[in-house]
Amino acid sequence: MIDGTRSRLIESALTLLREQGLEGVTLRAVGELAGLSRMAPYRHFADKTALLAAVAARIMTDIAARITAAVLSQGSQEERLRAFYRSYVDYAVEHPEEYRLVFSSMFVAGRHPEVERAIDEILSALSVDIDGSGPRHKAALAALLASAHGVAELVTVSDFTHKGISTDDIIDVMVSRAARP
C-alpha cells in the first residue's frame, strides 16, 4: 500500500503543479487532493523538496518515454535527431510548469538519486543514434541534451515567429549542423 499511496501523492502533486503552479504544491494540499489526511505526505516524503524530486523524476520519465517513442518512429539519423528536438521542445511548450520544475536549481544532479536515474533514461533515449561509449559518447549525449534545452528555453520564453523564425527553422539548422562531418 505504501507504493500505491506514494504514487497517489506524486500524481496529486503533479495535478496541483499543472493547475496551480509550483506555489500550489504543498504537502498538505497534496494529501488532501489524494484523499488522505493532510499529514499523510509527511510519512512518505521528508519535506516538500523530496516530494518535488519524486515529481520531477516522474516528469523526466515521461519526457524520456516521449523522446524514445518519437526517435524510434523515425528511420534516418537526421529524422531521428529532428524527432528528438521536436519532442523535447514540444514537451516544454505543452507542459511549462513541469518543465520549469524539472530544470529547477533545487535538483542538482547527485543529490536526488531518482532524478539522476531519470536523467539517465533521457540520455539512454538519445543514445539510439550516437555510436561509441566512454567520455566522448557521454559528452555527445550531454551536448544534445544541452542544445535541446537551449531551444526549449528560447521557445518557452520568447516567440520568434514575429521575426520570421519558427521552431522548426531552428531545429533544421541544428540538425543540418550536427549532420556535417
Side-chain angles (χ1 to χ4, degrees):
M1 183 64 176
I2 289 176
D3 285 341
T5 301
R6 182 179 168 86
S7 294
R8 279 177 47 202
L9 292 167
I10 292 168
E11 288 303 314
S12 294
L14 189 54
T15 298
L16 287 169
L17 178 67
R18 289 175 178 158
E19 294 175 358
Q20 299 177 22
L22 190 54
E23 303 78 35
V25 181
T26 65
L27 287 167
R28 288 178 180 221
V30 167
E32 194 172 297
L33 184 62
L36 303 167
S37 75
R38 299 175 95 199
M39 299 304 288
Y42 293 94
R43 288 190 289 272
H44 299 275
F45 301 98
D47 54 22
K48 182 177 175 177
T49 301
L51 169 64
L52 291 175
V55 172
R58 159 67 202 289
I59 292 166
M60 292 176 90
T61 297
D62 290 349
I63 294 170
R66 186 173 185 163
I67 290 169
T68 301
V71 167
L72 293 177
S73 72
Q74 301 300 315
S76 73
Q77 184 172 3
E78 269 190 40
E79 290 168 339
R80 286 176 174 220
L81 192 53
R82 190 170 278 106
F84 157 68
Y85 281 118
R86 176 45 69 189
S87 61
Y88 189 96
V89 171
D90 285 350
Y91 192 96
V93 169
E94 293 165 17
H95 307 282
E97 290 294 331
E98 294 171 43
Y99 184 76
R100 275 188 213 93
L101 173 67
V102 165
F103 292 102
S104 159
S105 62
M106 102 177 54
F107 302 120
V108 177
R111 287 194 203 149
H112 300 279
E114 57 196 319
V115 173
E116 190 71 27
R117 283 189 298 276
I119 290 170
D120 290 343
E121 286 181 37
I122 292 175
L123 293 176
S124 256
L126 293 177
S127 69
V128 172
D129 272 344
I130 298 188
D131 296 326
S133 60
R136 298 272 306 157
H137 174 74
K138 290 177 184 174
L141 294 175
L144 276 176
L145 189 56
S147 63
H149 182 65
V151 174
E153 281 293 310
L154 284 173
V155 171
T156 57
V157 297
S158 179
D159 181 10
F160 288 100
T161 55
H162 70 283
K163 295 184 182 286
I165 304 169
S166 73
T167 302
D168 287 330
D169 294 334
I170 296 167
I171 291 171
D172 286 343
V173 168
M174 294 180 74
V175 170
S176 66
R177 301 259 191 242
R180 284 198 290 187

